[in-house]
């Protein structure tokens, strides 16, 4: 279980938001925290502590008037920590090279490989060909339903017909190096992890998986470690003191053995 830090960028600012509140219309989101520092500051902090594999997420769509400002912040972060951070948000075969050349170790993709609510394997092949399996992370973030966990796309606003299962992860593992999975219902709410999802991910023994959502205490980390059978990595946002929360960032890094 590794600690994967994050840098979420919205409207050109490093923020922590309530994931389920994000709306493309008017670029709205309910904010938990807006940082005074820029994205490069956090990238340099993670680099100093040798925390690798963190996620830089662009939360504005390409159509947003804030997109260029958000993109520039992301590029500055990547250049501040070459090969130490992954980047996601509006990634396509056409623009992936820009982020990789800026220093990203991987690109994170969701929406591009979905069409009409299903995985488009032609697009997935195209994405894999463009960047290589070893530099591709698939985001299969999800919402809980009575039947299980349904994959959501387009900044978590659109439900698909795909469900997070061990079988789906095994199928997709042929195309990517890692998975990133946000439990969208609890993302940014600091009220505990999605236990059923954590247990499901713990049963998967393939590519590395990073879980995000709801963590607000060391007890949550211990529970995730147990349910995930020590195989599931973790990213934490709003709960950390560097983002206005109560969890000491340095203690979390030390607890998970990520700082070195």
């Amino acid at each position: 279980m590794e600690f994967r830090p994050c840098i979420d960028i919205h409207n050109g600012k490093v923020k922590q938001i309530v994931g389920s509140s994000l709306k493309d219309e008017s670029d709205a989101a309910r904010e938990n925290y807006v940082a005074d520092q820029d994205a490069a500051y956090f990238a340099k902090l993670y680099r100093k502590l040798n925390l690798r594999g963190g996620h830089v997420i662009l939360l504005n769509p390409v159509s947003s008037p804030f997109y260029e400002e958000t993109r520039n912040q992301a590029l500055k972060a990547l250049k501040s920590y070459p090969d130490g951070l992954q980047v996601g948000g509006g990634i396509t075969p056409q623009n992936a090279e820009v982020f990789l050349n800026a220093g990203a170790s991987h690109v994170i993709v969701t929406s591009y490989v979905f069409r009409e609510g299903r995985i488009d394997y032609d697009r997935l092949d195209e994405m894999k060909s463009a960047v290589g399996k070893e530099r591709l992370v698939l985001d299969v973030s999800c919402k809980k339903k009575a039947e299980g966990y349904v994959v959501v796309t387009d900044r978590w606003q659109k439900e698909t017909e795909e469900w997070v299962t061990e079988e789906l992860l095994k199928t997709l593992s042929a195309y990517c190096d890692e998975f990133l999975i946000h439990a969208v219902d609890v993302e940014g709410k600091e009220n505990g992890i999605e236990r059923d999802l954590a247990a499901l991910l713990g049963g998967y023994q393939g590519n590395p998986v990073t879980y995000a959502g709801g963590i607000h205490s060391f007890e949550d980390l211990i529970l995730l470690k147990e349910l995930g059978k020590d195989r599931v990595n973790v990213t934490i946002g709003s709960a950390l003191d560097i983002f206005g929360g109560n969890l000491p960032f340095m203690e979390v890094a030390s607890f998970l053995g990520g700082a070195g």
Side-chain angles (χ1 to χ4, degrees), residues 157-225:
Q157 296 168 73
K158 293 182 181 178
E159 295 183 10
T160 71
E161 298 174 25
E162 304 284 354
W163 299 85
V164 178
T165 62
E166 288 187 48
E167 290 72 24
L168 178 68
L169 296 179
K170 288 176 184 175
T171 298
L172 295 179
S173 67
Y175 298 87
C176 67
D177 192 45
E178 296 186 12
F179 294 106
L180 172 62
I181 302 180
H182 291 84
V184 175
D185 296 307
V186 296
E187 175 70 22
K189 295 181 179 178
E190 300 180 57
N191 57 4
I193 67 172
E194 279 280 7
R195 297 186 180 209
D196 292 342
L197 179 60
L200 187 159
L201 299 178
Y204 171 68
Q205 300 185 41
N207 296 6
V209 176
T210 298
Y211 168 91
I215 290 170
H216 74 297
S217 67
F218 285 99
E219 287 75 20
D220 286 331
L221 290 174
I222 293 168
L223 180 60
L224 179 61
K225 190 179 183 76

Coordinates of all heavy atoms in Angstrom, one line a residue, residues 157-225:
Q157 N -19.7 13.1 -14.0 CA -21.1 13.6 -14.2 C -22.0 12.6 -15.0 O -23.2 12.7 -15.0 CB -21.0 14.9 -14.9 CG -20.4 16.0 -14.1 CD -20.1 17.3 -14.9 OE1 -21.0 18.0 -15.2 NE2 -18.8 17.5 -15.3
K158 N -21.4 11.7 -15.8 CA -22.2 10.8 -16.6 C -22.0 9.3 -16.2 O -20.9 8.8 -16.1 CB -21.8 10.9 -18.1 CG -22.1 12.3 -18.7 CD -21.7 12.4 -20.1 CE -22.0 13.7 -20.7 NZ -21.6 13.8 -22.2
E159 N -23.1 8.6 -15.9 CA -23.0 7.2 -15.6 C -23.0 6.4 -16.9 O -23.5 6.8 -18.0 CB -24.3 6.8 -14.9 CG -24.4 7.4 -13.5 CD -25.6 6.9 -12.7 OE1 -26.2 5.9 -13.2 OE2 -25.9 7.5 -11.6
T160 N -22.2 5.3 -16.9 CA -22.1 4.5 -18.1 C -22.9 3.2 -17.8 O -23.6 3.0 -16.8 CB -20.6 4.1 -18.3 OG1 -20.2 3.2 -17.3 CG2 -19.8 5.4 -18.3
E161 N -22.7 2.2 -18.8 CA -23.3 0.9 -18.6 C -22.3 -0.1 -18.1 O -22.6 -1.3 -18.1 CB -23.9 0.5 -20.0 CG -25.0 1.4 -20.5 CD -25.5 1.0 -21.9 OE1 -25.3 -0.2 -22.2 OE2 -26.0 1.8 -22.6
E162 N -21.1 0.4 -17.7 CA -20.0 -0.5 -17.3 C -20.0 -0.5 -15.8 O -20.2 0.5 -15.1 CB -18.7 0.0 -17.8 CG -18.6 0.1 -19.3 CD -18.5 -1.2 -20.0 OE1 -18.3 -2.3 -19.3 OE2 -18.5 -1.2 -21.3
W163 N -19.6 -1.7 -15.2 CA -19.6 -1.9 -13.8 C -18.2 -2.3 -13.3 O -17.5 -3.1 -14.0 CB -20.6 -3.0 -13.3 CG -22.0 -2.6 -13.7 CD1 -22.6 -2.8 -14.9 CD2 -22.9 -1.9 -12.8 NE1 -23.9 -2.2 -14.8 CE2 -24.1 -1.7 -13.6 CE3 -22.9 -1.4 -11.5 CZ2 -25.2 -1.0 -13.0 CZ3 -24.0 -0.8 -11.0 CH2 -25.1 -0.6 -11.8
V164 N -17.8 -1.8 -12.2 CA -16.4 -2.1 -11.7 C -16.5 -3.6 -11.1 O -17.2 -3.8 -10.1 CB -16.0 -1.2 -10.6 CG1 -14.6 -1.6 -10.1 CG2 -15.8 0.2 -11.2
T165 N -15.8 -4.5 -11.7 CA -15.7 -5.9 -11.3 C -14.3 -6.3 -11.5 O -13.5 -5.7 -12.3 CB -16.7 -6.8 -12.1 OG1 -16.2 -6.7 -13.5 CG2 -18.1 -6.3 -12.0
E166 N -13.9 -7.4 -10.9 CA -12.6 -8.0 -11.1 C -12.5 -8.4 -12.5 O -11.4 -8.2 -13.1 CB -12.4 -9.2 -10.2 CG -12.2 -8.9 -8.7 CD -11.8 -10.1 -7.9 OE1 -10.9 -10.8 -8.4 OE2 -12.4 -10.3 -6.9
E167 N -13.5 -8.9 -13.2 CA -13.5 -9.3 -14.6 C -13.2 -8.1 -15.5 O -12.3 -8.2 -16.4 CB -14.8 -9.9 -15.0 CG -15.1 -11.3 -14.4 CD -15.4 -11.2 -12.9 OE1 -15.9 -10.1 -12.4 OE2 -15.2 -12.2 -12.2
L168 N -13.8 -6.9 -15.2 CA -13.6 -5.7 -16.0 C -12.1 -5.3 -15.9 O -11.4 -5.0 -16.9 CB -14.5 -4.6 -15.6 CG -14.3 -3.3 -16.4 CD1 -14.6 -3.4 -17.8 CD2 -15.0 -2.1 -15.8
L169 N -11.6 -5.3 -14.6 CA -10.2 -4.9 -14.4 C -9.2 -5.8 -15.1 O -8.2 -5.4 -15.7 CB -9.9 -4.8 -12.9 CG -10.7 -3.7 -12.1 CD1 -10.4 -3.8 -10.6 CD2 -10.6 -2.3 -12.7
K170 N -9.5 -7.1 -15.1 CA -8.6 -8.1 -15.8 C -8.6 -7.8 -17.3 O -7.6 -7.9 -17.9 CB -9.1 -9.5 -15.5 CG -8.8 -10.0 -14.0 CD -9.4 -11.3 -13.8 CE -9.2 -11.8 -12.4 NZ -9.9 -13.1 -12.1
T171 N -9.8 -7.5 -17.8 CA -9.9 -7.2 -19.3 C -9.1 -6.0 -19.6 O -8.3 -5.9 -20.6 CB -11.3 -7.0 -19.7 OG1 -12.0 -8.3 -19.5 CG2 -11.4 -6.7 -21.2
L172 N -9.3 -4.9 -18.8 CA -8.7 -3.6 -19.1 C -7.2 -3.6 -18.8 O -6.4 -2.8 -19.3 CB -9.3 -2.5 -18.3 CG -10.8 -2.2 -18.7 CD1 -11.4 -1.1 -17.8 CD2 -10.9 -1.8 -20.2
S173 N -6.7 -4.6 -18.0 CA -5.3 -4.6 -17.6 C -4.4 -4.8 -18.8 O -3.2 -4.5 -18.7 CB -5.1 -5.7 -16.5 OG -5.3 -7.0 -17.1
A174 N -4.9 -5.4 -19.9 CA -4.1 -5.6 -21.0 C -3.7 -4.3 -21.8 O -2.8 -4.3 -22.6 CB -4.8 -6.5 -22.0
Y175 N -4.4 -3.2 -21.4 CA -4.3 -1.9 -22.1 C -3.5 -0.9 -21.3 O -3.1 0.1 -21.8 CB -5.6 -1.3 -22.5 CG -6.4 -2.2 -23.4 CD1 -7.3 -3.2 -22.9 CD2 -6.4 -2.0 -24.8 CE1 -8.0 -4.0 -23.8 CE2 -7.1 -2.8 -25.6 CZ -7.9 -3.8 -25.1 OH -8.6 -4.6 -26.0
C176 N -3.3 -1.1 -20.0 CA -2.8 -0.1 -19.1 C -1.8 -0.6 -18.1 O -1.7 -1.8 -17.9 CB -3.9 0.7 -18.4 SG -4.8 -0.3 -17.2
D177 N -1.1 0.4 -17.4 CA -0.2 0.0 -16.4 C -0.8 0.0 -15.0 O -0.4 -0.7 -14.2 CB 1.0 1.0 -16.5 CG 2.2 0.6 -15.7 OD1 2.6 -0.5 -15.8 OD2 2.8 1.5 -15.0
E178 N -1.7 0.9 -14.8 CA -2.4 1.1 -13.5 C -3.8 1.5 -13.6 O -4.3 1.9 -14.7 CB -1.7 2.2 -12.7 CG -0.2 1.9 -12.3 CD 0.4 3.0 -11.4 OE1 -0.4 3.8 -10.8 OE2 1.6 3.0 -11.2
F179 N -4.6 1.4 -12.5 CA -5.9 1.9 -12.4 C -6.0 3.0 -11.3 O -5.3 2.9 -10.3 CB -6.9 0.8 -12.1 CG -7.0 -0.2 -13.1 CD1 -6.5 -1.5 -12.9 CD2 -7.8 0.0 -14.3 CE1 -6.6 -2.5 -13.9 CE2 -7.9 -1.0 -15.3 CZ -7.3 -2.2 -15.1
L180 N -6.8 4.0 -11.5 CA -7.2 5.0 -10.5 C -8.7 4.9 -10.4 O -9.5 5.0 -11.3 CB -6.8 6.4 -11.0 CG -7.3 7.5 -10.1 CD1 -6.7 7.5 -8.7 CD2 -6.9 8.9 -10.8
I181 N -9.2 4.8 -9.1 CA -10.6 4.6 -8.9 C -11.0 5.5 -7.7 O -10.7 5.3 -6.6 CB -10.9 3.1 -8.5 CG1 -10.5 2.2 -9.7 CG2 -12.4 2.9 -8.2 CD1 -10.7 0.7 -9.5
H182 N -11.8 6.5 -8.1 CA -12.4 7.4 -7.1 C -13.8 6.8 -6.7 O -14.6 6.5 -7.6 CB -12.6 8.8 -7.7 CG -11.4 9.6 -7.9 ND1 -10.6 9.4 -9.0 CD2 -10.8 10.5 -7.1 CE1 -9.6 10.3 -9.0 NE2 -9.6 10.9 -7.8
A183 N -14.0 6.8 -5.4 CA -15.4 6.5 -5.0 C -16.1 7.8 -4.9 O -16.0 8.5 -3.9 CB -15.3 5.8 -3.6
V184 N -16.8 8.1 -6.0 CA -17.3 9.5 -6.2 C -18.3 9.9 -5.1 O -18.3 11.1 -4.7 CB -17.9 9.6 -7.6 CG1 -18.5 11.0 -7.8 CG2 -16.8 9.3 -8.7
D185 N -19.1 9.0 -4.6 CA -20.1 9.4 -3.6 C -19.5 9.9 -2.4 O -20.2 10.8 -1.7 CB -21.0 8.2 -3.3 CG -21.8 7.7 -4.5 OD1 -22.5 8.5 -5.1 OD2 -21.7 6.5 -4.8
V186 N -18.3 9.5 -2.0 CA -17.7 9.9 -0.8 C -16.5 10.9 -1.0 O -15.9 11.3 -0.1 CB -17.3 8.7 0.1 CG1 -18.5 7.9 0.5 CG2 -16.3 7.9 -0.6
E187 N -16.2 11.1 -2.3 CA -15.0 11.9 -2.6 C -15.2 13.3 -2.0 O -16.2 14.0 -2.3 CB -14.9 12.0 -4.1 CG -13.8 12.9 -4.6 CD -12.4 12.4 -4.3 OE1 -12.2 11.2 -4.1 OE2 -11.5 13.2 -4.3
G188 N -14.2 13.8 -1.3 CA -14.2 15.1 -0.7 C -15.1 15.3 0.5 O -15.2 16.4 1.0
K189 N -15.7 14.2 1.0 CA -16.7 14.4 2.1 C -16.1 14.0 3.5 O -16.7 14.3 4.5 CB -18.0 13.6 1.8 CG -18.7 14.1 0.6 CD -20.0 13.3 0.4 CE -20.8 13.9 -0.8 NZ -22.0 13.1 -1.1
E190 N -15.0 13.3 3.5 CA -14.3 12.9 4.7 C -15.2 12.2 5.7 O -15.1 12.5 6.9 CB -13.7 14.2 5.4 CG -12.7 14.9 4.5 CD -12.1 16.1 5.2 OE1 -11.6 16.0 6.3 OE2 -12.3 17.2 4.7
N191 N -16.0 11.3 5.2 CA -16.9 10.5 6.1 C -16.7 9.0 6.0 O -17.6 8.3 6.3 CB -18.3 10.9 5.8 CG -18.7 10.7 4.4 OD1 -18.0 10.2 3.6 ND2 -20.0 11.1 4.1
G192 N -15.5 8.6 5.6 CA -15.2 7.2 5.6 C -15.2 6.6 4.2 O -15.7 7.2 3.3
I193 N -14.5 5.5 4.1 CA -14.3 4.9 2.7 C -15.5 4.1 2.3 O -16.3 3.7 3.1 CB -13.0 4.0 2.7 CG1 -13.2 2.8 3.6 CG2 -11.8 4.8 3.1 CD1 -12.0 1.8 3.5
E194 N -15.5 3.7 1.0 CA -16.5 2.8 0.5 C -16.0 1.4 0.8 O -15.1 0.9 0.0 CB -16.7 3.0 -1.0 CG -17.6 4.2 -1.3 CD -19.1 3.8 -1.2 OE1 -19.4 2.6 -0.7 OE2 -20.0 4.6 -1.5
R195 N -16.5 0.8 1.8 CA -15.9 -0.5 2.2 C -16.1 -1.6 1.2 O -15.1 -2.4 1.0 CB -16.6 -1.0 3.6 CG -16.3 0.0 4.7 CD -16.8 -0.5 6.0 NE -16.6 0.4 7.1 CZ -16.4 0.0 8.4 NH1 -16.5 -1.3 8.7 NH2 -16.2 0.9 9.3
D196 N -17.2 -1.7 0.6 CA -17.5 -2.7 -0.4 C -16.6 -2.6 -1.6 O -16.1 -3.6 -2.1 CB -18.9 -2.7 -0.8 CG -19.9 -3.2 0.3 OD1 -19.4 -3.8 1.2 OD2 -21.1 -2.9 0.1
L197 N -16.3 -1.4 -2.0 CA -15.4 -1.1 -3.1 C -14.0 -1.5 -2.8 O -13.3 -2.1 -3.6 CB -15.5 0.4 -3.6 CG -14.6 0.8 -4.7 CD1 -14.9 0.0 -6.0 CD2 -14.8 2.3 -5.0
A198 N -13.6 -1.1 -1.6 CA -12.2 -1.4 -1.1 C -12.0 -2.9 -1.1 O -11.0 -3.4 -1.5 CB -12.0 -0.8 0.3
A199 N -13.0 -3.7 -0.6 CA -12.9 -5.1 -0.6 C -12.9 -5.7 -2.0 O -12.1 -6.7 -2.2 CB -14.1 -5.7 0.2
L200 N -13.7 -5.2 -2.9 CA -13.6 -5.6 -4.3 C -12.3 -5.4 -4.9 O -11.7 -6.3 -5.5 CB -14.7 -4.8 -5.1 CG -15.0 -5.2 -6.5 CD1 -16.3 -4.7 -6.9 CD2 -13.9 -4.7 -7.5
L201 N -11.7 -4.2 -4.7 CA -10.4 -3.9 -5.2 C -9.3 -4.8 -4.6 O -8.3 -5.2 -5.2 CB -10.0 -2.5 -5.0 CG -11.0 -1.5 -5.7 CD1 -10.6 -0.1 -5.4 CD2 -11.0 -1.7 -7.2
G202 N -9.5 -5.1 -3.3 CA -8.5 -6.0 -2.6 C -8.5 -7.4 -3.2 O -7.5 -8.1 -3.1
G203 N -9.6 -7.8 -3.8 CA -9.7 -9.1 -4.4 C -9.0 -9.2 -5.8 O -8.7 -10.3 -6.3
Y204 N -8.7 -8.1 -6.4 CA -8.1 -8.0 -7.7 C -6.6 -8.1 -7.5 O -6.0 -7.4 -6.7 CB -8.5 -6.7 -8.4 CG -7.7 -6.5 -9.7 CD1 -7.9 -7.3 -10.8 CD2 -6.8 -5.4 -9.8 CE1 -7.2 -7.1 -11.9 CE2 -6.1 -5.2 -10.9 CZ -6.2 -6.0 -12.0 OH -5.5 -5.8 -13.2
Q205 N -5.9 -9.0 -8.3 CA -4.5 -9.2 -8.1 C -3.6 -8.9 -9.3 O -2.6 -9.4 -9.5 CB -4.2 -10.6 -7.7 CG -4.9 -11.0 -6.4 CD -4.6 -12.4 -5.9 OE1 -3.4 -12.9 -6.0 NE2 -5.6 -13.1 -5.4
G206 N -4.1 -7.9 -10.1 CA -3.4 -7.6 -11.3 C -2.6 -6.3 -11.2 O -1.8 -6.1 -10.3
N207 N -2.9 -5.3 -12.1 CA -2.1 -4.1 -12.1 C -2.4 -3.3 -10.9 O -3.4 -3.4 -10.2 CB -2.6 -3.2 -13.3 CG -2.4 -3.9 -14.7 OD1 -1.9 -5.0 -14.7 ND2 -2.6 -3.2 -15.7
P208 N -1.4 -2.4 -10.5 CA -1.6 -1.6 -9.3 C -2.9 -0.7 -9.4 O -3.3 -0.3 -10.5 CB -0.4 -0.6 -9.4 CG 0.7 -1.4 -10.1 CD -0.1 -2.2 -11.2
V209 N -3.5 -0.6 -8.3 CA -4.8 0.1 -8.2 C -4.6 1.2 -7.1 O -4.1 0.9 -6.0 CB -6.0 -0.8 -7.8 CG1 -7.2 0.0 -7.6 CG2 -6.2 -1.8 -8.8
T210 N -5.1 2.4 -7.4 CA -5.1 3.5 -6.4 C -6.5 3.9 -6.1 O -7.3 4.2 -7.0 CB -4.3 4.7 -6.9 OG1 -3.0 4.4 -7.0 CG2 -4.4 5.8 -5.8
Y211 N -6.9 3.9 -4.8 CA -8.2 4.2 -4.3 C -8.3 5.7 -3.8 O -7.3 6.1 -3.2 CB -8.7 3.3 -3.2 CG -9.9 3.7 -2.5 CD1 -11.2 3.3 -2.9 CD2 -9.8 4.6 -1.4 CE1 -12.3 3.7 -2.2 CE2 -11.0 5.0 -0.7 CZ -12.2 4.6 -1.2 OH -13.3 5.0 -0.5
A212 N -9.4 6.4 -4.1 CA -9.6 7.7 -3.5 C -11.0 7.8 -3.1 O -11.9 7.4 -3.7 CB -9.2 8.8 -4.6
G213 N -11.2 8.5 -1.9 CA -12.6 8.8 -1.5 C -12.9 8.6 -0.1 O -12.8 7.4 0.4
G214 N -13.2 9.6 0.7 CA -13.7 9.5 2.0 C -12.8 9.4 3.2 O -13.2 9.4 4.3
I215 N -11.5 9.2 2.9 CA -10.5 9.0 4.0 C -10.4 10.3 4.8 O -10.2 11.4 4.3 CB -9.1 8.6 3.4 CG1 -9.3 7.2 2.9 CG2 -8.0 8.7 4.5 CD1 -8.1 6.7 2.1
H216 N -10.5 10.1 6.2 CA -10.4 11.3 7.0 C -9.6 11.0 8.3 O -9.5 11.8 9.2 CB -11.7 11.8 7.4 CG -12.6 11.0 8.3 ND1 -13.0 9.8 8.0 CD2 -13.0 11.3 9.6 CE1 -13.7 9.3 9.1 NE2 -13.7 10.2 10.0
S217 N -9.1 9.7 8.5 CA -8.4 9.4 9.7 C -7.4 8.2 9.4 O -7.5 7.5 8.4 CB -9.4 8.9 10.8 OG -10.1 7.7 10.3
F218 N -6.6 8.0 10.4 CA -5.6 6.9 10.3 C -6.4 5.6 10.4 O -6.0 4.5 9.8 CB -4.6 7.0 11.4 CG -3.5 8.0 11.1 CD1 -3.6 9.2 11.7 CD2 -2.5 7.7 10.2 CE1 -2.6 10.2 11.4 CE2 -1.5 8.7 9.9 CZ -1.6 9.9 10.5
E219 N -7.5 5.6 11.1 CA -8.4 4.4 11.2 C -8.9 4.0 9.8 O -9.0 2.8 9.4 CB -9.6 4.6 12.1 CG -9.2 4.6 13.6 CD -8.5 5.9 14.0 OE1 -8.6 6.9 13.3 OE2 -7.8 5.9 15.1
D220 N -9.2 5.0 9.0 CA -9.6 4.7 7.6 C -8.5 4.1 6.8 O -8.7 3.2 6.0 CB -10.1 6.0 6.9 CG -11.4 6.5 7.4 OD1 -12.2 5.7 7.8 OD2 -11.6 7.7 7.3
L221 N -7.3 4.6 7.0 CA -6.1 4.0 6.3 C -5.9 2.6 6.7 O -5.6 1.7 5.9 CB -4.9 4.9 6.6 CG -4.9 6.2 6.0 CD1 -3.6 7.0 6.4 CD2 -4.9 6.1 4.4
I222 N -6.0 2.3 8.0 CA -5.8 0.9 8.5 C -6.9 0.0 7.9 O -6.6 -1.1 7.5 CB -5.9 0.9 10.0 CG1 -4.6 1.6 10.6 CG2 -5.9 -0.5 10.5 CD1 -4.7 1.9 12.1
L223 N -8.2 0.5 7.8 CA -9.3 -0.3 7.3 C -9.0 -0.6 5.8 O -9.2 -1.7 5.3 CB -10.6 0.4 7.5 CG -11.8 -0.2 7.0 CD1 -12.0 -1.6 7.6 CD2 -13.1 0.6 7.2
L224 N -8.6 0.5 5.1 CA -8.3 0.3 3.6 C -7.2 -0.7 3.4 O -7.3 -1.5 2.5 CB -8.0 1.6 3.0 CG -7.7 1.6 1.5 CD1 -8.9 1.1 0.7 CD2 -7.2 3.0 1.0
K225 N -6.2 -0.6 4.3 CA -5.1 -1.6 4.2 C -5.6 -3.0 4.4 O -5.2 -3.9 3.7 CB -4.0 -1.2 5.2 CG -2.7 -1.9 5.1 CD -1.8 -1.5 6.2 CE -0.4 -2.1 6.1 NZ 0.4 -1.5 5.0

